[in-house]
Amino acid sequence: MYGGNLTEVLKNLCKCDFIREYSAYGKKEKYAFEQVCLHHLIQIRGALSIKGVLTNVCTWASPKQTDKDGTEWPGVQIDLLLCRGDHIIDVCEMKYCQAEFVVTGKYAEQLRERNAVFTHFTKTKDTIHTVLVTTYGLKQNNYSDSIYSTVTMDDLFQFER
């Protein structure tokens, strides 16, 4: 329901100081959307059907670096990690879009690389699921299978009664 009125919802959230407006040109919507997502973790977990699973929530970043054997690893940042008690880590990517999000070949490779860096440096043995949190969903194409699950803006505004 709210997905079609995203701009208006974000403006109203700024007016009531629920979220802050980011001043860098071109980044305002992305930052505001990320803040809305972070304030709706219960709804994200509900959309993923993991409300009853013990979950630790965090972000993660790693600078560009070279490890002991000379392998160069790019710097990466993960918007949101849901580290679950069932040994699955949902690596959440938050993307503000004016339409369905399209995964390109280049972006699918970036996701694989980011997950590889995370797995290498954290030494996790947990299963990694890539989750897309976006405004209007995911456009199906040859690369969309790199996304395990999608959460939309409508999911973020589902409240239990």
Side-chain angles (χ1 to χ4, degrees), residues 40-52 82 151 155 158 160:
H40 290 82
L41 295 174
I42 292 170
Q43 289 81 6
I44 291 172
R45 290 179 63 210
L48 296 173
S49 300
I50 60 168
K51 275 187 178 178
L82 302 175
V151 177
D155 295 324
Q158 295 297 315
E160 288 185 3

Side-chain angles (χ1 to χ4, degrees), residues 52-102:
V53 178
L54 178 66
T55 305
N56 291 314
V57 177
C58 61
T59 61
W60 188 83
S62 176
K64 181 178 177 180
Q65 55 191 303
T66 305
D67 64 16
K68 291 182 255 181
D69 67 1
T71 304
E72 291 189 17
W73 296 90
V76 299
Q77 180 243 325
I78 297 174
D79 295 334
L80 177 66
L81 289 172
L82 302 175
C83 304
R84 300 164 30 180
D86 57 0
H87 302 286
I88 294 173
I89 299 175
D90 292 315
V91 177
C92 300
E93 190 67 11
M94 296 178 224
K95 292 292 182 189
Y96 173 81
C97 254
Q98 300 261 346
E100 288 182 310
F101 185 79
V102 177

Side-chain angles (χ1 to χ4, degrees), residues 2-159:
Y2 288 95
N5 300 319
L6 180 60
T7 302
E8 185 176 325
V9 169
L10 291 174
K11 284 179 184 176
N12 287 336
L13 291 171
C14 284
K15 284 179 190 174
C16 67
D17 289 330
F18 186 73
I19 60 174
R20 289 178 290 161
E21 187 171 332
Y22 191 69
S23 61
Y25 179 75
K27 304 283 184 181
K28 177 174 53 174
E29 293 86 358
K30 179 182 186 297
Y31 179 79
F33 182 70
E34 287 177 1
Q35 291 302 303
V36 168
C37 293
L38 293 173
H39 286 286
H40 290 82
L41 295 174
I42 292 170
Q43 289 81 6
I44 291 172
R45 290 179 63 210
L48 296 173
S49 300
I50 60 168
K51 275 187 178 178
V53 178
L54 178 66
T55 305
N56 291 314
V57 177
C58 61
T59 61
W60 188 83
S62 176
K64 181 178 177 180
Q65 55 191 303
T66 305
D67 64 16
K68 291 182 255 181
D69 67 1
T71 304
E72 291 189 17
W73 296 90
V76 299
Q77 180 243 325
I78 297 174
D79 295 334
L80 177 66
L81 289 172
L82 302 175
C83 304
R84 300 164 30 180
D86 57 0
H87 302 286
I88 294 173
I89 299 175
D90 292 315
V91 177
C92 300
E93 190 67 11
M94 296 178 224
K95 292 292 182 189
Y96 173 81
C97 254
Q98 300 261 346
E100 288 182 310
F101 185 79
V102 177
V103 178
T104 63
K106 181 179 177 181
Y107 185 69
E109 180 56 33
Q110 289 172 340
L111 292 173
R112 280 189 291 280
E113 186 175 59
R114 182 198 60 195
N115 291 347
V117 171
F118 175 76
T119 301
H120 176 78
F121 285 105
T122 63
K123 311 236 183 294
T124 187
K125 302 288 186 220
D126 291 354
T127 300
I128 303 294
H129 288 171
T130 300
V131 175
L132 177 67
V133 184
T134 189
T135 44
Y136 299 107
L138 178 65
K139 177 94 170 154
Q140 295 298 309
N141 66 14
N142 291 337
Y143 303 105
S144 58
D145 64 348
S146 60
I147 303 294
Y148 181 82
S149 190
T150 303
V151 177
T152 66
M153 180 63 112
D154 286 341
D155 295 324
L156 297 180
F157 289 95
Q158 295 297 315
F159 296 101

